[in-house]
Amino acid sequence: SILEWAEEHNEESNVMVKKLAGLKFHDTATEAALRLAMRTIEKRFVVGLTDNMKESIRRFNIVMNIDLTSNRNQNCMRKFFGHGTLKTNSNPHPKLEPGSPAWD
């Protein structure tokens, strides 16, 4: 579960902030490092939200100059975002409840 992973494997905090800010593993992540990491993401990454996956994929396609009007790409989007058995991108995951140890 996510809680088990967090308890067993999450030994260091703010690893990604440190990496994106150019800090070493044992350095301390500060507010300034967080701002630098956020600026790095803003300038070098295209960020999508899983809560709004269809829009995120549309944005990725634009950035990568993928022709959204081609039959091949439209079929791919229909397959990925179809309904019921046609939907190929879903996997069952347990729900996390706000306030539970796994949520926090």
Side-chain angles (χ1 to χ4, degrees), residues 1 3 27 37 49 64 66-67 69 75 79 82 87-89 98:
S1 76
L3 180 58
D27 290 344
L49 302 174
M64 294 184 290
I66 294 174
D67 180 7
T69 62
N75 287 338
K79 183 177 179 183
K87 190 174 185 179
T88 61
N89 72 326

Side-chain angles (χ1 to χ4, degrees), residues 3 11-13 15-16 19-20 45-46 51 53 56 59-60 62 70 75 81-82 84 102-104:
L3 180 58
E11 298 172 4
E12 178 62 36
S13 61
V15 172
M16 290 308 299
K19 284 189 175 287
L20 291 167
F45 292 84
V46 178
D51 289 348
M53 184 65 80
S56 297
R59 290 178 183 206
F60 297 154
I62 290 169
S70 79
N75 287 338
F81 292 107
W103 179 272
D104 295 332

